[in-house]
Amino acid sequence: MTSTLGYAILTVLARGPRSGYELATAMGHPLGYFWTARHSQIHPELQRLVAAALVGFEQVPGPGPQRKKIYSITGPGLAALREWVVEPPQPRPERDELVLKAYAAWLADPAELAKLFRSRLEAHELRLAAFEAERAAFPGTPGYGSERFGEYATLWCGIGYENHRIAWCRWMIDQLETGRCPDQPSVSLYPSCEATKPSES
Amino acid sequence: MTSTLGYAILTVLARGPRSGYELATAMGHPLGYFWTARHSQIHPELQRLVAAALVGFEQVPGPGPQRKKIYSITGPGLAALREWVVEPPQPRPERDELVLKAYAAWLADPAELAKLFRSRLEAHELRLAAFEAERAAFPGTPGYGSERFGEYATLWCGIGYENHRIAWCRWMIDQLETGRCPDQPSVSLYPSCEATKPSES
DNA sequence: GTCCTCATGTAAACCGTTACATGATTTC
DNA sequence: GAAATCATGTAACGGTTTACATGAGGAC
């Protein structure tokens, strides 16, 4: 029983031996799009994985008196990873601040909020373009037994997600820019002296 | 400067006064789809919000010697909330265990993994149906000045997300069930005695 | 009488981020 | 010589979950 971070590390190590530093940089691309960790989290976790014999390491003398450790997955580590992959993930609570802001949109200045969503839209469009370019680099769909299948599958997911977000941002911007503003409900404030409060628009 | 949880609470309180208990249950539906918190987190946060004068409360004697507190948003609280809504959200690192498992799919038994994705697909289809039913209950698109616009906008986002997930799960299942399994790359194990290791399929 | 809902809190543990701390190698 | 990169760790802090703790009211 390891934490999900442990399995994320094992997932990378199954692709080949890495140093702690390389693992930390691997948490950037493409892994960083669905799992991240800083080196300050990775090094202690590696120590735990070594203690659990899921991972081993070799001291590699780099140029000079460098104490570089190259970690590899062990047989038991690979077995644990294989088991974990097909287990249902424990549901994590969703926390999406942008959606929360959308939920509170009725309180905001629509022009200001549209500006925020336009900037988010741009970011999603940029990321989509990068993902599309990456997918174009694949000759075809890799088979599931191939290491590259994972990359392709997560890329597929990322492209779908970005498209969904782009559509939503566009819809939000459209609503905020061209939408009518029919009813302005009241906010009941504390101290509860005034029952209704007209909008300051 | 409050935490996002504080703004989530203010977002709910802007819709009307609530007790701490009601706030905790409000973190179920629909808020729970994009922000959650337990009562053990809500009560201390309410104390902080009261200390910051963003929120006030009235002791309401329920039936019997009940010490129930009804919280309301204050003028400064509403002002802070309005400012927060249009500020760009700080980017949170994505952590999606299912996508991580997809990244490690090449190690797994495809039939077992397909089973997992079928169960996830079912869950997304159920949630989509619930969302669609909710959207059908709206007479039309609420204007952005309406309190209900937030509900509609987040529902829109949720429906788009579920559709995206459903498409991805279906693609994954299709790949795992009908896909070919051409190349089986090796895993370099520790101790590094064997360079290649054929698959146990 | 027992269980469920309403109601409010605290404490311990865990996960993750930021900051602190060190030091060699390479590039400009 | 300064800065960037490679390299490994620890400490403090903040946010979140789980568990502990209590108690009234209503339904069965």
Side-chain angles (χ1 to χ4, degrees), chain A residues 34-46:
Chain A
F34 45 91
W35 206 272
T36 32
R38 305 295 170 101
H39 76 273
S40 60
Q41 217 185 340
I42 289 168
H43 285 297
E45 184 65 34
L46 279 168

Side-chain angles (χ1 to χ4, degrees), chain A residues 15 17 34 36 58 73 82 84 87 93 95-96 101 103 106-107 144-145 153 157 164 168 183 185 188 190 192, chain B residues 15 17 34 36 58 73 82 84 87 93 95-96 101 103 106-107 144-145 153 157 164 168 183 188 190 192:
Chain A
R15 280 153 202 262
F34 45 91
T36 32
E58 281 171 358
I73 196 166
R82 278 189 211 273
W84 167 82
E87 263 163 38
R95 280 200 185 84
D96 191 325
K101 280 168 195 273
Y103 189 64
W106 63 294
L107 297 164
Y144 59 71
C157 183
H164 142 62
W168 182 58
D183 39 356
S188 56
Y190 178 93
S192 37
Chain B
R15 279 152 203 261
F34 44 92
T36 32
E58 282 171 359
I73 196 167
R82 278 189 212 275
W84 168 82
E87 263 164 38
R95 280 199 185 84
D96 191 324
K101 280 168 196 271
Y103 189 65
W106 64 293
L107 297 165
Y144 60 71
C157 183
H164 142 62
W168 183 58
D183 40 355
S188 56
Y190 178 93
S192 35

Side-chain angles (χ1 to χ4, degrees), chain B residues 71-91:
Chain B
Y71 295 90
S72 312
I73 196 167
T74 63
L78 187 58
L81 182 58
R82 278 189 212 275
E83 269 175 49
W84 168 82
V85 176
V86 295
E87 263 164 38
Q90 66 245 37

Side-chain angles (χ1 to χ4, degrees), chain A residues 5 40 63 69 139 171 179:
Chain A
L5 170 62
S40 60
K69 296 177 187 170
W171 181 83

Side-chain angles (χ1 to χ4, degrees), chain B:
Chain B
M1 249 302 289
T2 323
S3 67
T4 308
L5 171 62
Y7 290 113
I9 290 173
L10 290 178
T11 300
V12 177
L13 288 184
R15 279 152 203 261
R18 301 267 193 290
S19 69
Y21 183 84
E22 285 171 317
L23 276 163
T25 57
M27 294 287 170
H29 181 84
L31 211 74
Y33 294 115
F34 44 92
W35 206 271
T36 32
R38 305 297 171 100
H39 77 274
S40 60
Q41 218 185 338
I42 289 168
H43 286 297
E45 184 65 34
L46 278 167
Q47 288 166 19
R48 278 189 288 270
L49 289 170
V50 168
L54 305 177
V55 152
F57 70 90
E58 282 171 359
Q59 290 267 5
V60 171
Q66 294 251 110
R67 67 276 193 257
K68 181 174 164 177
K69 296 177 187 171
I70 300 293
Y71 295 90
S72 312
I73 196 167
T74 63
L78 187 58
L81 182 58
R82 278 189 212 275
E83 269 175 49
W84 168 82
V85 176
V86 295
E87 263 164 38
Q90 66 245 37
R92 308 199 138 227
E94 299 274 349
R95 280 199 185 84
D96 191 324
E97 206 176 321
L98 191 67
V99 183
L100 183 58
K101 280 168 196 271
Y103 189 65
W106 64 293
L107 297 165
D109 171 27
E112 281 292 306
L113 197 58
K115 211 170 89 183
L116 168 61
F117 272 89
R118 266 195 301 272
S119 115
R120 297 272 74 214
L121 172 63
E122 232 177 281
H124 284 302
E125 280 173 336
L126 271 171
R127 186 171 276 195
L128 176 64
F131 285 175
E132 294 276 26
E134 258 189 88
R135 183 165 65 176
F138 278 86
T141 310
Y144 60 71
S146 152
E147 195 181 297
R148 300 219 69 196
F149 176 72
E151 283 167 68
Y152 195 83
T154 54
L155 202 51
W156 205 105
C157 183
I159 288 169
Y161 178 75
E162 298 304 330
N163 274 319
H164 142 62
R165 276 278 157 156
I166 285 167
W168 183 58
C169 284
R170 287 207 178 121
W171 181 83
M172 283 292 292
I173 293 163
D174 187 60
Q175 291 292 311
L176 292 166
E177 280 181 343
T178 73
R180 318 118 292 140
C181 184
D183 40 355
Q184 211 45 29
S186 62
V187 176
S188 56
L189 287 175
Y190 178 93
S192 35
C193 32
E194 41 181 354
T196 53
K197 182 171 164 292
S199 75
E200 50 261 35
S201 63

Side-chain angles (χ1 to χ4, degrees), chain A residues 142-144 146-154, chain B residues 102 105 171-172 175-176:
Chain A
Y144 59 71
S146 152
E147 196 180 297
R148 299 218 71 195
F149 175 73
E151 282 168 68
Y152 195 83
T154 55
Chain B
W171 181 83
M172 283 292 292
Q175 291 292 311
L176 292 166

